[in-house]
Amino acid sequence: MNFLDAKEQIRSLFLRVNPKDIPRLIDWLKSSDDLDDALVDNQKIILQSISEDLRSSLPMEAVLPSESLAIEKTQLKPQPTVHVDAFLYDDATVDTLCEEGKMSRNYCLNCGSHKTAPLDFISHSFSISELQFLFQYALPDLTGKVVVDVGSRLGAVLYGGYLYSSAARLIGVEINADFFRLQTLAVEKYNFTDRIQVVQADICTQDMLMQSADVLIMNNVFEYFLQPCDQIKAWQFIIHNFRKKGALLVTVPSIQESLSALQGEMIDPCHWVEELTLDHNIYLGKDSDPDSQRDIHLYRVQ
């Protein structure tokens, strides 16, 4: 049943409901968790299983000792900030960990007092609901297409693209050897090797791959892991090589926000890509966050 048919069925149902019960029915539709059961699919269950596997192999913040620059940059933030990987920890899991005293959403403004303020959380991965939004709603049909994830980290984009799209090939480029091994193990365990490939490399060595990509995904990929001068070089490399007309670029945050913090002579992205409008008001269950979905930006190469 498509959307128009479903809408007509619901309208017909409302006509048969006792008028005094309609407000209660509408309130139930808005607030009940019962309908979320219909939104749980096999793909989400598989992604949750991968998430659980990865959690057991990583420290709580999913930041490794080999990521010294990311640790240093986080510590230099003016507001206390912690890494909470959205693929590993949804809101319900974070709530449970807070109740168990293993995680906190707040920090003490004055040691020993009850005056607290919320911590800033930062994630370098998409959540499961964001992956569903990205591949089922933001991007078009990817049949026959090549998707490249820059800084694939835990591999969330690769797994989400495998399960929620028909992309022919999903290639993750990850420079960190530890994360490369984690992704490789997950891809092999879940039998994703027919469409997923993980490459351990600096993205600036992958010009042929950039030129062949139909979709390029960059989620919070440079700011915490490269010095500003290296960020500029990486952006210049991508702008120079990702040139296939009509190819799609997904970024978090927006290109403008990423480039505004950098100094140096950059190519104006307005002459490279145009931003496409996304409908972010997609309900994907109680775990979905429309605000985080609004951080996802889609561009088309001109």
Side-chain angles (χ1 to χ4, degrees):
M1 184 184 299
N2 60 31
F3 170 71
L4 292 177
D5 290 339
K7 188 167 71 171
E8 189 57 39
Q9 288 287 329
I10 292 172
R11 184 178 298 165
S12 175
L13 174 65
F14 267 77
L15 292 175
R16 301 198 301 272
V17 174
N18 189 319
K20 70 177 183 180
D21 288 328
I22 288 179
R24 292 174 58 199
L25 179 59
I26 292 174
D27 183 66
W28 175 78
L29 287 169
K30 288 181 176 179
S31 60
S32 174
D33 291 340
D34 295 347
L35 293 179
D36 282 344
D37 293 339
L39 299 176
V40 176
D41 50 38
N42 287 335
Q43 291 90 338
K44 185 174 291 186
I45 292 170
I46 294 171
L47 289 172
Q48 288 170 341
S49 177
I50 298 172
S51 173
E52 290 174 9
D53 286 348
L54 291 171
R55 277 206 301 270
S56 66
S57 303
L58 290 162
M60 181 78 71
E61 291 190 1
V63 178
L64 300 177
S66 54
E67 299 183 288
S68 55
L69 184 59
I71 295 170
E72 178 185 340
K73 286 194 172 189
T74 302
Q75 292 171 342
L76 291 174
K77 299 277 285 185
Q79 171 102 353
T81 302
V82 293
H83 291 87
V84 179
D85 192 280
F87 182 67
L88 301 181
Y89 301 100
D90 59 20
D91 282 343
T93 305
V94 170
D95 288 341
T96 299
L97 291 171
C98 288
E99 290 170 3
E100 294 173 351
K102 297 177 181 177
M103 187 181 288
S104 176
R105 292 184 182 273
N106 301 288
Y107 70 99
C108 182
L109 291 170
N110 298 301
C111 188
S113 78
H114 294 288
K115 189 176 182 183
T116 62
L119 284 162
D120 278 350
F121 284 0
I122 184 167
S123 173
H124 301 301
S125 300
F126 289 114
S127 67
I128 291 175
S129 63
E130 287 167 347
L131 291 169
Q132 185 179 5
F133 170 77
L134 175 62
F135 286 106
Q136 290 194 326
Y137 298 95
L139 291 169
D141 178 19
L142 298 180
T143 301
K145 304 298 184 182
V146 175
V147 177
V148 175
D149 183 24
V150 180
S152 51
R153 201 166 178 83
L154 301 179
V157 165
L158 307 178
Y159 318 137
Y162 188 98
L163 294 166
Y164 283 128
S165 85
S166 299
R169 294 172 64 212
L170 298 130
I171 304 170
V173 181
E174 176 54 56
I175 196 170
N176 185 287
D178 297 318
F179 285 122
F180 168 76
R181 282 192 291 270
L182 277 176
Q183 291 175 81
T184 301
L185 290 171
V187 169
E188 292 174 352
K189 177 177 179 178
Y190 287 88
N191 297 314
F192 291 162
T193 54
D194 58 323
R195 290 165 54 210
I196 291 180
Q197 178 186 359
V198 187
V199 178
Q200 186 187 354
D202 182 335
I203 192 61
C204 292
T205 66
Q206 300 297 305
D207 50 332
M208 298 280 290
L209 181 59
M210 289 291 98
Q211 292 160 20
S212 67
D214 299 296
V215 179
L216 189 66
I217 299 178
M218 302 171 60
N219 181 10
N220 204 15
V221 69
F222 294 143
E223 179 186 356
Y224 284 83
F225 307 101
L226 297 176
Q227 296 290 3
C229 61
D230 294 322
Q231 292 182 52
I232 291 172
K233 290 177 184 176
W235 273 108
Q236 288 176 330
F237 174 84
I238 288 170
I239 291 170
H240 178 73
N241 286 284
F242 186 58
R243 286 285 184 175
K244 184 186 289 188
K245 187 176 178 62
L248 297 173
L249 171 67
V250 176
T251 71
V252 176
S254 68
I255 293 177
Q256 289 75 12
E257 184 177 341
S258 295
L259 299 184
S260 66
L262 299 175
Q263 307 254 336
E265 188 173 344
M266 301 290 295
I267 299 172
D268 185 349
C270 293
H271 300 299
W272 173 44
V273 293
E274 59 176 339
E275 184 161 11
L276 304 178
T277 301
L278 291 176
D279 180 7
H280 295 100
N281 296 313
I282 304 292
Y283 182 74
L284 298 173
K286 61 185 177 182
D287 293 333
S288 63
D289 181 1
D291 288 336
S292 66
Q293 289 171 190
R294 290 187 183 91
D295 291 335
I296 299 173
H297 295 262
L298 179 64
Y299 304 86
R300 180 168 54 214
V301 177
Q302 301 184 87

